[in-house]
Amino acid sequence: MPLKKDEYEDAIEPMQAELVGMARWARTTGQRIVVIFEGRDTAGKGGAIKAVREQLNPRQCRVVALSKPTEAELTQWYFQRYVAHLPSAGEIVLFDRSWYNRAGVEKVMGYADEEQVEDFLRQVPTFERMLVDDGILLFKYWLGTDQAQQEERLRERLEDPLKRWKLSPVDLAARDKYDAYTQAREAMLAATNTEWAPWTLVDFNDQKRGRLTLVRDLLDRLPDTKVEAPAIEFPDLGHEPAVETYAQIQPLPGYPVT
């Protein structure tokens, strides 16, 4: 049975408090954290990313969601444009899709040829070993969903004007390539599920439960991140609070809600 909204909110709130503590630990110790979110179209990557970053300082926790490469980027080393977004000390970077585009959508949709895909699968374990050896904490999640759920979510995007922007021609083309994406995923896992950078697969047929599963796993795999928040004195103001006043320009009237 799908998780209810109130059940989800009761469960995610203490985890998000732990995430705030994790961010404080990362800032204090200078840790660099990278979390990769890959998976089926409509699986729920955006919601999972929101669950992780929602209560964190956006100056510390960045989401990287790159568009298709430019003509100049197509001439670069494949990993080059991703390297530019890796974290500095104390930062957390969440990749909404990543360099693994080459093993997924680029392979299935024919944007990369067979030789390019084979080169990528051969090179990426070494690339990730370099990141980990340099001290980056790297977590790789693949979000799965059955095709029936995918169809339902694609139709919801089609019918909801607030979600229509999420529906792309690539998403529609994926409807006929569900099995091809499965094969591409399995080849990717076989080549890149390494001891130093393992994959974690999460069932996102129930997106709320999937978010809880992912966030709990992420927190459990981090070292002891308990860093006490610094004590802050908050003395009495010493006078009546001032009322906001305007001399030059008056604010807009409040929006009428009946």
Side-chain angles (χ1 to χ4, degrees), residues 72-89:
E73 288 171 334
L74 288 172
T75 68
Q76 297 172 351
W77 176 48
Y78 177 72
F79 296 98
Q80 187 168 335
R81 71 186 191 129
Y82 296 101
V83 169
H85 297 279
L86 292 173
S88 301

mmCIF file of all heavy atoms in Angstrom, residues 72-89:
data_model
loop_
_atom_site.group_PDB
_atom_site.id
_atom_site.type_symbol
_atom_site.label_atom_id
_atom_site.label_comp_id
_atom_site.label_asym_id
_atom_site.label_seq_id
_atom_site.Cartn_x
_atom_site.Cartn_y
_atom_site.Cartn_z
ATOM 1 N N ALA A 72 30.981 23.046 -28.153
ATOM 2 C CA ALA A 72 32.335 23.063 -27.588
ATOM 3 C C ALA A 72 32.536 21.894 -26.631
ATOM 4 O O ALA A 72 33.589 21.229 -26.651
ATOM 5 C CB ALA A 72 32.588 24.391 -26.867
ATOM 6 N N GLU A 73 31.527 21.607 -25.788
ATOM 7 C CA GLU A 73 31.646 20.511 -24.819
ATOM 8 C C GLU A 73 31.742 19.159 -25.506
ATOM 9 O O GLU A 73 32.378 18.225 -24.988
ATOM 10 C CB GLU A 73 30.475 20.546 -23.849
ATOM 11 C CG GLU A 73 30.561 21.704 -22.854
ATOM 12 C CD GLU A 73 29.298 21.870 -22.034
ATOM 13 O OE1 GLU A 73 28.207 21.474 -22.511
ATOM 14 O OE2 GLU A 73 29.393 22.412 -20.917
ATOM 15 N N LEU A 74 31.130 19.043 -26.670
ATOM 16 C CA LEU A 74 31.207 17.780 -27.406
ATOM 17 C C LEU A 74 32.629 17.470 -27.859
ATOM 18 O O LEU A 74 32.949 16.312 -28.151
ATOM 19 C CB LEU A 74 30.272 17.822 -28.614
ATOM 20 C CG LEU A 74 28.773 17.751 -28.299
ATOM 21 C CD1 LEU A 74 27.948 17.996 -29.557
ATOM 22 C CD2 LEU A 74 28.423 16.387 -27.695
ATOM 23 N N THR A 75 33.493 18.485 -27.919
ATOM 24 C CA THR A 75 34.879 18.270 -28.337
ATOM 25 C C THR A 75 35.804 18.029 -27.141
ATOM 26 O O THR A 75 36.987 17.752 -27.331
ATOM 27 C CB THR A 75 35.403 19.486 -29.119
ATOM 28 O OG1 THR A 75 35.527 20.621 -28.240
ATOM 29 C CG2 THR A 75 34.471 19.847 -30.264
ATOM 30 N N GLN A 76 35.280 18.147 -25.920
ATOM 31 C CA GLN A 76 36.100 18.006 -24.718
ATOM 32 C C GLN A 76 36.179 16.550 -24.271
ATOM 33 O O GLN A 76 35.419 15.691 -24.718
ATOM 34 C CB GLN A 76 35.510 18.863 -23.584
ATOM 35 C CG GLN A 76 35.492 20.355 -23.844
ATOM 36 C CD GLN A 76 34.728 21.107 -22.772
ATOM 37 O OE1 GLN A 76 34.072 20.515 -21.907
ATOM 38 N NE2 GLN A 76 34.805 22.433 -22.810
ATOM 39 N N TRP A 77 37.100 16.313 -23.343
ATOM 40 C CA TRP A 77 37.109 15.042 -22.613
ATOM 41 C C TRP A 77 35.734 14.849 -21.989
ATOM 42 O O TRP A 77 35.161 15.772 -21.430
ATOM 43 C CB TRP A 77 38.197 15.112 -21.542
ATOM 44 C CG TRP A 77 38.283 13.938 -20.631
ATOM 45 C CD1 TRP A 77 38.293 12.618 -20.965
ATOM 46 C CD2 TRP A 77 38.403 13.969 -19.201
ATOM 47 N NE1 TRP A 77 38.408 11.826 -19.852
ATOM 48 C CE2 TRP A 77 38.470 12.636 -18.753
ATOM 49 C CE3 TRP A 77 38.462 15.005 -18.267
ATOM 50 C CZ2 TRP A 77 38.601 12.304 -17.402
ATOM 51 C CZ3 TRP A 77 38.593 14.678 -16.920
ATOM 52 C CH2 TRP A 77 38.660 13.346 -16.504
ATOM 53 N N TYR A 78 35.183 13.650 -22.112
ATOM 54 C CA TYR A 78 33.785 13.440 -21.732
ATOM 55 C C TYR A 78 33.480 13.901 -20.308
ATOM 56 O O TYR A 78 32.434 14.505 -20.040
ATOM 57 C CB TYR A 78 33.390 11.968 -21.894
ATOM 58 C CG TYR A 78 31.972 11.723 -21.446
ATOM 59 C CD1 TYR A 78 30.888 12.171 -22.200
ATOM 60 C CD2 TYR A 78 31.714 11.109 -20.219
ATOM 61 C CE1 TYR A 78 29.586 11.989 -21.775
ATOM 62 C CE2 TYR A 78 30.410 10.929 -19.785
ATOM 63 C CZ TYR A 78 29.355 11.364 -20.558
ATOM 64 O OH TYR A 78 28.066 11.205 -20.116
ATOM 65 N N PHE A 79 34.375 13.630 -19.364
ATOM 66 C CA PHE A 79 34.107 13.933 -17.960
ATOM 67 C C PHE A 79 34.338 15.415 -17.612
ATOM 68 O O PHE A 79 34.042 15.834 -16.499
ATOM 69 C CB PHE A 79 34.996 13.071 -17.062
ATOM 70 C CG PHE A 79 34.724 11.595 -17.174
ATOM 71 C CD1 PHE A 79 35.511 10.795 -17.991
ATOM 72 C CD2 PHE A 79 33.682 11.013 -16.480
ATOM 73 C CE1 PHE A 79 35.267 9.433 -18.105
ATOM 74 C CE2 PHE A 79 33.429 9.653 -16.584
ATOM 75 C CZ PHE A 79 34.221 8.861 -17.405
ATOM 76 N N GLN A 80 34.853 16.170 -18.552
ATOM 77 C CA GLN A 80 35.336 17.521 -18.240
ATOM 78 C C GLN A 80 34.256 18.432 -17.672
ATOM 79 O O GLN A 80 34.466 19.144 -16.694
ATOM 80 C CB GLN A 80 35.952 18.150 -19.507
ATOM 81 C CG GLN A 80 36.637 19.481 -19.266
ATOM 82 C CD GLN A 80 37.468 19.893 -20.477
ATOM 83 O OE1 GLN A 80 37.908 19.046 -21.261
ATOM 84 N NE2 GLN A 80 37.696 21.179 -20.628
ATOM 85 N N ARG A 81 33.079 18.418 -18.272
ATOM 86 C CA ARG A 81 32.065 19.362 -17.809
ATOM 87 C C ARG A 81 31.474 18.957 -16.458
ATOM 88 O O ARG A 81 30.900 19.782 -15.759
ATOM 89 C CB ARG A 81 30.962 19.537 -18.850
ATOM 90 C CG ARG A 81 30.017 18.373 -19.055
ATOM 91 C CD ARG A 81 29.102 18.670 -20.220
ATOM 92 N NE ARG A 81 27.993 17.729 -20.323
ATOM 93 C CZ ARG A 81 26.729 18.093 -20.428
ATOM 94 N NH1 ARG A 81 26.403 19.378 -20.416
ATOM 95 N NH2 ARG A 81 25.764 17.201 -20.544
ATOM 96 N N TYR A 82 31.629 17.697 -16.088
ATOM 97 C CA TYR A 82 31.169 17.260 -14.776
ATOM 98 C C TYR A 82 32.184 17.611 -13.687
ATOM 99 O O TYR A 82 31.806 17.972 -12.568
ATOM 100 C CB TYR A 82 30.896 15.758 -14.789
ATOM 101 C CG TYR A 82 29.770 15.374 -15.722
ATOM 102 C CD1 TYR A 82 30.036 14.832 -16.979
ATOM 103 C CD2 TYR A 82 28.437 15.575 -15.357
ATOM 104 C CE1 TYR A 82 29.007 14.486 -17.840
ATOM 105 C CE2 TYR A 82 27.400 15.235 -16.217
ATOM 106 C CZ TYR A 82 27.690 14.688 -17.455
ATOM 107 O OH TYR A 82 26.670 14.364 -18.308
ATOM 108 N N VAL A 83 33.457 17.503 -14.021
ATOM 109 C CA VAL A 83 34.513 17.817 -13.058
ATOM 110 C C VAL A 83 34.370 19.245 -12.540
ATOM 111 O O VAL A 83 34.604 19.518 -11.355
ATOM 112 C CB VAL A 83 35.900 17.604 -13.697
ATOM 113 C CG1 VAL A 83 37.004 18.172 -12.812
ATOM 114 C CG2 VAL A 83 36.147 16.114 -13.959
ATOM 115 N N ALA A 84 33.943 20.148 -13.407
ATOM 116 C CA ALA A 84 33.812 21.557 -13.015
ATOM 117 C C ALA A 84 32.800 21.763 -11.891
ATOM 118 O O ALA A 84 32.817 22.800 -11.227
ATOM 119 C CB ALA A 84 33.419 22.392 -14.231
ATOM 120 N N HIS A 85 31.925 20.787 -11.673
ATOM 121 C CA HIS A 85 30.871 20.934 -10.663
ATOM 122 C C HIS A 85 31.129 20.129 -9.397
ATOM 123 O O HIS A 85 30.267 20.084 -8.505
ATOM 124 C CB HIS A 85 29.528 20.520 -11.272
ATOM 125 C CG HIS A 85 29.094 21.380 -12.413
ATOM 126 N ND1 HIS A 85 28.482 22.608 -12.237
ATOM 127 C CD2 HIS A 85 29.221 21.209 -13.754
ATOM 128 C CE1 HIS A 85 28.228 23.143 -13.414
ATOM 129 N NE2 HIS A 85 28.666 22.317 -14.356
ATOM 130 N N LEU A 86 32.284 19.494 -9.291
ATOM 131 C CA LEU A 86 32.594 18.721 -8.091
ATOM 132 C C LEU A 86 32.739 19.651 -6.884
ATOM 133 O O LEU A 86 33.064 20.828 -7.029
ATOM 134 C CB LEU A 86 33.871 17.909 -8.311
ATOM 135 C CG LEU A 86 33.762 16.784 -9.341
ATOM 136 C CD1 LEU A 86 35.126 16.159 -9.593
ATOM 137 C CD2 LEU A 86 32.759 15.715 -8.886
ATOM 138 N N PRO A 87 32.495 19.140 -5.680
ATOM 139 C CA PRO A 87 32.457 20.009 -4.499
ATOM 140 C C PRO A 87 33.836 20.429 -4.009
ATOM 141 O O PRO A 87 34.822 19.721 -4.185
ATOM 142 C CB PRO A 87 31.766 19.134 -3.446
ATOM 143 C CG PRO A 87 32.109 17.729 -3.856
ATOM 144 C CD PRO A 87 32.126 17.748 -5.362
ATOM 145 N N SER A 88 33.853 21.605 -3.390
ATOM 146 C CA SER A 88 35.005 22.044 -2.608
ATOM 147 C C SER A 88 34.789 21.599 -1.165
ATOM 148 O O SER A 88 33.747 21.024 -0.824
ATOM 149 C CB SER A 88 35.147 23.564 -2.685
ATOM 150 O OG SER A 88 35.311 23.991 -4.026
ATOM 151 N N ALA A 89 35.753 21.890 -0.298
ATOM 152 C CA ALA A 89 35.665 21.462 1.099
ATOM 153 C C ALA A 89 34.384 21.969 1.737
ATOM 154 O O ALA A 89 34.024 23.140 1.619
ATOM 155 C CB ALA A 89 36.883 21.969 1.862
#
